[in-house]
Amino acid sequence: MNPDLIVIGAGIVGAAAALAATQAGLETVIVESAVPGAGVTGAGMGHLVILDDALLALSARSLELWRALPDHAGSEYRNTGTIWVAETADDLAGLAQQSIHLEAQNVTSRLLDGASLQALEPDLARDLPGGLLVPDDAIVYAPKALAYLLEQARSAGARLLLGRRVTRLTGGGVRFADGTTLTGAVLVATGSQGSELLPELPIAPRKGHLVVTERASASIRHQLVEAGYLRTVHEPGQATVAMNVQPRPEGQLLVGSSRESGIQDPGVSPGIVARMLRRVFRFLPTLREHSAIRIWSGFRPATPDGLPYIGRIPGRGQVWAALGHEGLGITTATGTAELLVDLMLERRGRIDPAPFDPARRMLAP
Amino acid sequence: MKTIALTVDGVAVTVVEGASAAAAVAARTHVFHHSRTGHPRGPFCGMGQCFECRIRINGRLALACLERASSGMAITTGA
Amino acid sequence: MPEHFDILVLGAGPAGLAAARTAARSGLTVGLVDEQSAPGGQIGRRPIWLRPSRLRPSRAFRETIDALRSDSRITYFPGERVVACEKGPALVTETPHGCAMLTGGSLILATGARELVLPFPGWTLPGVMALGGLQVLAKGGWPVAGGGIVLAGSGPLLLASARTLRQAGAQIHAIVEQASRQAVLRFLAGLPAWPTKVLQTLAFAPGMLRMGYETDAFVVEALGQGVLEAVRIESRGRRRIVPCSYLGIGMGLIPNVEAARGLGCALEGNPHPAVAVNAFQETSQRGIYAAGEITGIGGAELARLEGAIAGYAAAGNLTRARALSARRAHWMRFGAHLMRQFALRDSIRQLAEPMTIICRCEDVTLGAIDQVSDAGTLKLLTRLGMGACQGRMCQPALAELRPRYRPGATSGIPRPPLFPARLETLAGLAPGEPL
């Protein structure tokens, strides 16, 4: 029996899309070559964050959808909020602007002066001029959320094909490594490997590192991100670092972040980890004595303009993409799923699809 | 044999010179910490591998089985 | 600035000490790093109730310790834990108060073994300890004199621990060996091929009978409110309760291969892999050698020989290395004899119940593990092995209890650090050093 939709990739984006499609009445099959969450989903932090850039509307809508999921999709959701931490007076002025942009999307935020910042997060360095608290941001444990989304999709009727590798798109469906085929509309949601099936869509894996600490007595309550973080996201440079620290519900800390382009080696690079940690100590000097249990790296799927590809691929019939979410795939999985299904069913949705149209960036065949 | 005086959770303890920090804690309690879901735990592997003997020595995280007790140490359990 | 040596040796147990000695004797400078505060490894260390002058260790061991003191080519770094190994090779070490980097022309890994304990109900109670671990803690002054002790598990370490604990003043209530009486007799019958082992066994024999050594028996449950109070022993189908304050339990040894794996050295063997080496103890990585228990469990004599070979080979002294190969083969046969006769009975793998904790760091139960159908997502969904011990305790146990979760299929790239390390160490900073 041929499905209406074949979702390739059981990461968080593919799973959310499969669930939304199934709930919308589409006969859906999810295909995964490895194990669910083996790619970007399992490597990330799980920070649900509204970014003040071209993804503002999508991320704000996505957070609404996350909150609407029963038990937040079993994701161990915690409403920690985010504090964007300024290092300089210029940073603080930028955060004031960010606050206005958030307000326009009905997202609450509160500017903090140095003293209020200290009061909320006493571990922060005392010379920091202030910050911006976004109280509705949250953290999740993405592997659990993924397991929930897949289970919901399955009980709604979707089929999950594990250990099956799609080698190419046939025009009307997919061909597997064993030579068999499946016919139906196709959604490519294979994260940083998206270009393998859709070479016309440029995606550059962007390596990142995370450190997890031992459970300890740190008093950090909010996800803390330095104000300059977005600059490192949008900077095309070779290697950038920015303080981004998350308190896990178990008392451990996730410590990031780094971005490196043009690197394929998945091993941990001690040099960039050292740079990253030094940057973190600038904001959180007491973390120097905390112990790291594990360091790992992952690859964010980055597009040239920093925006994901969400929509139909021109010239390929019923082939769709949900790719290139960089570091924001977990946050925007829910909004991406809603947007896609609206587009597939030709419904007018709440998010403007134009900025994400894959046609904008297609390479000549 | 020479002895060493130190404190475990603020209580004075005396051990033989050369004794491990674990032995010093054991003079007071066998429960070194509680696990993530609240079960009492004490040293298990004795060789620095299992991390069940985690303590704080003068505020610093340490493995009690790998370090020697020394005079004046302030050990706290529950790390 | 990193300190540089011709040869770096990681581990100051029998293998590491022998390696340091032969490399130095070949004229090279040696940096010997060990996390313990004194040399000798886990089993060979001196109990604090013995003064150094009363110590009567084997001649080889004494000579090695002497070499450590007198040979100016050996620099010994006790109390330094290696938290990162890099190709080069380089070692990043941490002490309670600082960190350092050592570089070397080549590296000899002698990281030894740890004990295998298969989970059973009650095994996380304070007072339940690994067999050799209890011995080590007692040697370090842990007060064992008060309460009764039960020792359980498999192999000659039961007897060695019993002797140490008796010397420390403990009351041994039972020594239970899981192997069958026939297997133990077969082990003894094979011993004359290694005469020193016969002598050792004779030294243990009178005590072991007095202390109630029994075969075909194992502990099925540890009992107690908050701390250990008693154990339930099963022996030839019958169960009984024995009160005790301590249970030392060990089902054998497994190689500490984490550093070797992190350096990309090939491993071999199942379910507990060892480092693969050639005739000169060289691993699949050029210039990186491995010696002692990490290449396969075989005891101190084999470890010393392998260490000596590695030290000579790393120094380019291949003739001397080759001269030791026949003796190495002889002691390898001893290791094989030991492993064969003390193989674990399958019922020991069936003791854990759904509520039994497998991962002590994250309190993951066997029931939670069995709910995960897919080995690939086990760690992500249960957090098994994600705590401070980095899976050192639970993963070998799970490989025995649930072979389908054995690493290999599921383990990807090793995730540093080797042991939990201070963030400032990983940032390349000394404590207190300004940014």
Side-chain angles (χ1 to χ4, degrees):
Chain A
M1 195 184 62
N2 286 317
D4 300 321
L5 179 66
I6 304 160
V7 178
I8 310 173
I12 194 98
V13 170
L19 176 58
T22 309
Q23 285 171 339
L26 299 180
E27 197 82 42
T28 304
V29 169
I30 313 160
V31 183
E32 169 60 49
S33 63
V35 292
V40 207
T41 302
M45 250 186 178
H47 181 203
L48 303 186
V49 57
I50 299 175
L51 284 190
D52 176 25
D53 60 8
L55 287 165
L56 179 50
L58 180 64
S59 50
R61 174 63 184 154
S62 294
L63 255 83
E64 280 178 24
L65 292 168
W66 269 106
R67 284 191 289 268
L69 283 164
D71 186 33
H72 304 97
S75 60
E76 302 177 3
Y77 178 99
R78 293 283 191 293
N79 180 209
T80 56
T82 303
I83 296 179
W84 296 87
V85 183
E87 185 184 17
T88 63
D90 278 359
D91 283 346
L92 201 53
L95 290 178
Q97 284 297 311
Q98 184 173 336
S99 174
I100 294 166
H101 301 156
L102 294 177
E103 186 68 47
Q105 291 286 331
N106 293 317
V107 176
T108 312
S109 67
R110 181 155 64 89
L111 268 179
L112 307 168
D113 61 15
S116 344
L117 183 66
Q118 271 294 315
L120 283 177
E121 293 291 354
D123 282 347
L124 283 168
R126 292 183 179 277
D127 64 332
L128 298 168
L132 178 70
L133 170 66
V134 185
D136 288 343
D137 282 358
I139 61 170
V140 294
Y141 186 57
K144 285 264 172 85
L146 171 59
Y148 172 94
L149 294 171
L150 287 175
E151 193 43 49
Q152 289 295 304
R154 233 184 329 202
S155 57
R159 276 190 296 149
L160 181 57
L161 300 182
L162 284 181
R164 300 290 299 277
R165 184 173 193 83
V166 172
T167 49
R168 67 182 183 90
L169 307 180
T170 57
V174 300
R175 177 183 292 277
F176 294 103
D178 61 7
T180 59
T181 58
L182 198 58
T183 309
V186 175
L187 170 64
V188 181
T190 49
S192 26
Q193 287 141 42
S195 301
E196 286 173 16
L197 292 172
L198 296 170
E200 64 267 47
L201 290 183
I203 291 180
R206 214 168 181 200
K207 188 173 176 179
H209 286 86
L210 278 177
V211 176
V212 62
T213 69
E214 266 194 78
R215 217 169 279 135
S217 53
S219 59
I220 297 170
R221 302 263 178 279
H222 304 81
Q223 176 116 13
L224 301 178
V225 189
E226 70 166 284
Y229 177 80
L230 273 183
R231 283 198 296 275
T232 73
V233 175
H234 295 305
E235 221 165 79
Q238 280 298 300
T240 56
V241 295
M243 185 274 290
N244 188 346
V245 172
Q246 177 180 108
R248 294 299 309 158
E250 310 81 38
Q252 299 172 323
L253 297 174
L254 279 176
V255 181
S257 60
S258 72
R259 283 179 158 76
E260 293 170 279
S261 300
I263 292 183
Q264 263 95 54
D265 177 6
V268 166
S269 343
I272 192 91
V273 170
R275 260 186 69 194
M276 178 176 104
L277 291 173
R278 287 168 183 236
R279 185 65 189 158
V280 170
F281 301 157
R282 161 68 187 94
F283 294 90
L284 291 162
T286 57
L287 288 200
R288 293 174 58 136
E289 285 169 40
H290 283 240
S291 279
I293 303 181
R294 234 175 8 262
I295 310 173
W296 70 91
S297 68
F299 291 95
R300 306 177 186 91
T303 61
D305 62 0
L307 295 176
Y309 305 122
I310 308 171
R312 204 169 63 80
I313 316 288
R316 281 194 181 257
Q318 283 299 308
V319 174
W320 302 74
L323 287 170
H325 291 73
E326 221 266 3
L328 216 56
I330 292 164
T331 298
T332 59
T334 49
T336 298
E338 182 184 69
L339 173 54
L340 268 171
V341 173
D342 284 342
L343 288 170
M344 285 175 185
L345 301 182
E346 295 175 2
R347 294 190 301 217
R348 194 186 154 76
R350 305 177 56 153
I351 302 162
D352 176 14
F356 312 117
D357 186 350
R360 75 188 190 279
R361 276 287 165 178
M362 282 185 32
L363 300 171
Chain B
M1 276 192 253
K2 268 177 74 178
T3 59
I4 293 170
L6 66 160
T7 64
V8 175
D9 294 329
V11 178
V13 161
T14 310
V15 290
V16 174
E17 186 176 30
S20 66
V25 177
R28 168 120 188 90
T29 176
H30 288 181
V31 179
F32 280 49
H33 72 111
H34 286 81
S35 72
R36 189 181 155 201
T37 60
H39 300 285
R41 295 283 169 81
F44 180 70
C45 80
M47 301 180 185
Q49 305 270 336
C50 75
F51 287 74
E52 292 280 31
C53 68
R54 238 178 342 222
I55 51 169
R56 282 184 187 275
I57 297 177
N58 304 331
R60 162 181 66 80
L61 265 181
L63 295 182
C65 73
L66 285 185
E67 292 196 35
R68 282 197 184 154
S70 66
S71 180
M73 259 184 182
I75 295 177
T76 50
T77 61
Chain C
M1 273 297 287
E3 222 172 320
H4 186 85
F5 298 91
D6 297 329
I7 311 263
L8 288 174
V9 179
L10 174 47
L17 288 170
R21 188 169 167 227
T22 53
R25 197 190 267 169
S26 308
L28 301 188
T29 61
V30 177
L32 172 64
V33 189
D34 191 77
E35 62 200 17
Q36 303 291 334
S37 49
Q42 299 298 351
I43 306 302
R45 65 172 66 186
R46 178 174 63 90
I48 60 165
W49 60 82
L50 281 186
R51 289 161 189 278
S53 58
R54 288 194 48 205
L55 185 66
R56 273 167 293 159
S58 71
R59 193 172 56 94
F61 185 67
R62 198 173 55 238
E63 283 176 10
T64 307
I65 301 280
D66 287 348
L68 206 58
R69 293 215 186 85
S70 60
D71 194 325
S72 62
R73 281 166 298 204
I74 301 176
T75 310
Y76 173 43
F77 299 92
E80 299 212 8
R81 172 159 255 184
V82 172
V83 295
C85 287
E86 287 160 32
K87 280 179 192 162
L91 304 176
V92 179
T93 72
E94 222 176 56
T95 65
H97 305 287
C99 60
M101 189 186 248
L102 306 174
T103 59
S106 47
L107 171 65
I108 300 173
L109 298 170
T111 47
R114 60 176 175 270
E115 285 176 276
L116 175 67
V117 179
L118 301 189
F120 55 92
W123 78 300
T124 59
L125 281 172
V128 178
M129 298 181 194
L131 178 60
L134 177 55
Q135 183 190 25
V136 167
L137 286 166
K139 284 182 178 178
W142 185 286
V144 290
I149 293 186
V150 170
L151 301 178
S154 203
L157 187 57
L158 275 173
L159 305 178
S161 291
R163 194 156 82 148
T164 305
L165 292 163
R166 288 261 301 177
Q167 286 168 357
Q171 291 254 328
I172 312 277
H173 288 180
I175 306 175
V176 297
E177 164 63 62
Q178 60 88 37
S180 68
R181 187 182 151 82
Q182 294 86 334
V184 174
L185 290 175
R186 275 196 301 273
F187 175 72
L188 294 173
L191 277 190
W194 302 277
T196 52
K197 290 290 163 191
V198 176
L199 294 177
Q200 277 180 19
T201 309
L202 286 177
F204 290 143
M208 91 192 218
L209 296 173
R210 198 169 53 239
M211 289 183 282
Y213 180 84
E214 56 186 308
T215 58
D216 300 276
F218 50 97
V219 168
V220 296
E221 189 176 6
L223 306 162
Q225 292 292 323
V227 294
L228 179 70
E229 293 164 15
V231 295
R232 197 188 305 277
I233 293 172
E234 181 173 318
S235 173
R236 296 184 168 88
R238 291 167 63 173
R239 294 191 169 193
R240 68 181 198 273
I241 288 179
V242 177
C244 58
S245 301
Y246 300 102
L247 167 65
I249 186 156
M251 284 90 171
L253 300 176
I254 52 172
N256 287 326
V257 296
E258 288 73 17
R261 176 186 281 143
L263 286 163
C265 301
L267 307 180
E268 61 188 9
N270 234 333
H272 310 297
V275 183
V277 289
N278 66 14
F280 295 107
Q281 303 294 138
E282 193 170 17
T283 69
S284 64
Q285 296 287 333
R286 224 186 134 77
I288 300 179
Y289 298 77
E293 306 286 41
I294 62 166
T295 69
I297 304 305
E301 292 84 356
L302 180 60
R304 270 193 287 275
L305 285 163
E306 292 186 353
I309 292 171
Y312 282 132
N317 204 339
L318 298 187
T319 313
R320 287 211 163 211
R322 223 176 259 125
L324 295 172
S325 63
R327 281 173 64 203
R328 176 178 54 184
H330 176 66
W331 282 104
M332 276 181 162
R333 285 190 290 276
F334 174 73
H337 179 56
L338 186 77
M339 298 294 268
R340 196 163 46 243
Q341 305 308 344
F342 291 103
L344 289 184
R345 65 176 62 216
D346 206 45
S347 45
I348 289 197
R349 298 187 182 88
Q350 321 296 333
L351 297 175
E353 295 171 352
M355 289 302 291
T356 305
I357 284 170
I358 305 298
C359 169
R360 302 172 67 106
C361 298
E362 296 292 317
D363 283 353
V364 183
T365 62
L366 185 60
I369 292 166
D370 281 339
Q371 277 180 12
V372 178
S373 53
D374 185 6
T377 52
L378 179 65
K379 285 177 80 170
L380 282 176
L381 291 181
T382 65
R383 293 199 175 86
L384 177 104
M386 305 269 258
C389 94
Q390 302 163 305
R392 281 180 173 82
M393 297 292 119
C394 60
Q395 280 175 352
L398 194 63
E400 294 274 357
L401 265 51
R402 295 288 185 270
R404 68 197 181 97
Y405 294 127
R406 266 177 204 170
T410 56
S411 67
I413 307 151
R415 290 175 161 182
L418 271 179
F419 282 102
R422 284 192 293 272
L423 296 183
E424 62 190 355
T425 302
L426 299 170
L429 295 169
E433 185 184 323
L435 283 173

